[in-house]
Amino acid sequence: MISRPIAGIAVAVAAVLLGCSVLIVGMLGGGGASANCLPVVGASQTGSSASPSGGASAAPEPIGEWNAEQVANAAVIVAVGQRLQVPARGKVIAVATAMQESSLTNLAGGDRDSVGLFQQRPSQGWGTSAQLQDPQHAATKFYTKLLAVPGWQTMPLTRAAQAVQVSAYPDAYAKFEPEAVQVVGAVGSALGLAIPSDLGQCASTCVVITVADTGSCVEAATVFGRAQSWLTAWSGGPVPYLSSGNPADWFHGYRRDCSGYVSMALGLDGPGLNTAALAARSTIISKADLRPGDLLINTAPNLRGHVVLFDRWMDASMSRYYGYEQSGDAGTHHRIIPYPYFGDYPMLPYRFGK
């Protein structure tokens, strides 16, 4: 993954976006510590200069096969995503989509009435032809529709892009994912955004499930899909919490406590492991290494333990995260949790699949 700043991107893009009263300033500083799968927080309003270096604007440098003009268009897409508080994953989806649709070139025409970076069509309600040739407008329209797609963050890139674009070639976006990861990382660094250094892991994360000493990879999207199902599975609402060894109390073969719920999400056999057993089949990792599908566990016995399925960081400080859990206060949750947990309750980060 490349991370060095691209000369001129921050200056050029800030100059464009200042027309919309948006000011992008560095959030981590040069060479700051990275955080896995970090959603990018909103743009700061406290900066006083559009140029981090204070120097004169220079042309963006090419990245791989993408020339300076294409990189500059990608930078606008990333910066608009930042303004809209779109997580890093969404920026990768947007850039990959524009790579496929227009080769990151602001086209004046295309198939039928398609125009612009995303080849959006005025006849389909995206806006006028003039509006769609404005990269800011085009990117805003793309993100607006993407954010309205349920579960887009855990979909494969090509499915998420297709949900927005409704293309005749729905599988075409996938091939640009590695290059989009590279470009988003580079231009994000140049803009001083809190872009993860390992976007590739965020873009394609798997949870390794160990069965009889052989590992198999399960996509995080599959794990989160199961976790999400309990949010509405009990007469349209969350599955109520109940710790019971009686099969009559279980839900679809799983205990309705925290570890039964996480076992279900991981695809383990019912009725599920307890927290100590989940920890025994996992490896303790560092806070900075947490990625989607990891666990936070307290192994205390006698119903004093707890486990949370880690989704993603909420902000660059890594002080709060989104987690899935089954708890006694309201059953199944997907909520913001202070790290490591509420109050002074101790939890350690684990990666399942020892």
Side-chain angles (χ1 to χ4, degrees):
M1 166 58 65
I2 65 175
S3 60
R4 67 185 181 89
I6 309 300
I9 290 179
V11 178
V13 175
V16 172
L17 294 183
L18 279 172
C20 297
S21 299
V22 175
L23 195 58
I24 308 246
V25 296
M27 295 177 57
L28 290 183
S34 67
N36 290 337
C37 303
L38 198 77
V40 179
V41 302
S44 170
Q45 302 298 320
T46 61
S48 60
S49 174
S51 171
S53 64
S57 175
E61 296 177 7
I63 301 175
E65 298 299 317
W66 305 98
N67 64 32
E69 177 186 353
Q70 292 166 317
V71 170
N73 285 329
V76 173
I77 293 171
V78 171
V80 170
Q82 175 73 3
R83 172 168 60 84
L84 297 176
Q85 301 186 41
V86 177
R89 174 65 171 158
K91 297 179 178 70
V92 170
I93 293 169
V95 170
T97 300
M99 287 175 168
Q100 164 60 24
E101 295 289 355
S102 68
S103 293
L104 285 175
T105 303
N106 194 19
L107 299 176
D111 180 51
R112 288 171 283 187
D113 59 337
S114 300
V115 295
L117 291 175
F118 296 92
Q119 287 293 277
Q120 295 151 329
R121 299 177 59 195
S123 62
Q124 301 300 309
W126 289 94
T128 68
S129 179
Q131 287 174 327
L132 297 177
Q133 289 180 72
D134 173 3
Q136 291 185 69
H137 177 91
T140 298
K141 296 293 285 188
F142 179 89
Y143 285 126
T144 299
K145 189 168 181 181
L146 175 67
L147 295 174
V149 175
W152 69 268
Q153 292 197 61
T154 54
M155 288 181 182
L157 182 146
T158 192
R159 278 186 56 203
Q162 175 64 3
V164 176
Q165 297 293 103
V166 194
S167 169
Y169 306 98
D171 298 324
Y173 304 105
K175 65 180 178 288
F176 288 106
E177 184 164 358
E179 292 175 75
V181 166
Q182 182 186 39
V183 170
V184 170
V187 301
S189 176
L191 289 169
L193 308 185
I195 300 292
S197 64
D198 57 351
L199 270 171
Q201 289 188 9
C202 303
S204 180
T205 302
C206 73
V207 180
V208 177
I209 308 298
T210 303
V211 180
D213 296 325
T214 62
S216 59
C217 184
V218 179
E219 288 294 324
T222 301
V223 174
F224 290 139
R226 297 188 191 115
Q228 290 165 3
S229 70
W230 277 33
L231 293 170
T232 56
W234 194 275
S235 300
V239 175
Y241 179 93
L242 180 63
S243 183
S244 171
N246 183 352
D249 295 328
W250 300 344
F251 186 68
H252 295 167
Y254 289 91
R255 295 190 319 276
R256 291 189 279 131
D257 55 19
C258 63
S259 54
Y261 169 65
V262 168
S263 297
M264 178 278 301
L266 292 174
L268 305 180
D269 292 338
L273 302 177
N274 61 24
T275 52
L278 285 170
R281 289 187 54 181
S282 304
T283 301
I284 295 177
I285 59 176
S286 70
K287 174 183 177 181
D289 284 335
L290 275 165
R291 70 187 188 196
D294 287 336
L295 309 176
L296 288 107
I297 306 177
N298 180 314
T299 59
N302 302 323
L303 300 181
R304 291 182 289 111
H306 192 49
V307 57
V308 174
L309 178 65
F310 180 84
D311 179 356
R312 64 191 188 279
W313 293 111
M314 181 184 174
D315 53 40
S317 70
M318 291 192 292
S319 61
R320 294 183 294 171
Y321 62 97
Y322 288 95
Y324 289 92
E325 61 175 330
Q326 182 77 354
S327 62
D329 52 350
T332 312
H333 292 287
H334 180 231
R335 60 180 174 180
I336 298 170
I337 302 171
Y339 185 87
Y341 200 67
F342 298 99
D344 57 357
Y345 187 78
M347 302 275 272
L348 289 175
Y350 287 81
R351 180 155 301 149
F352 188 80
K354 184 175 178 181

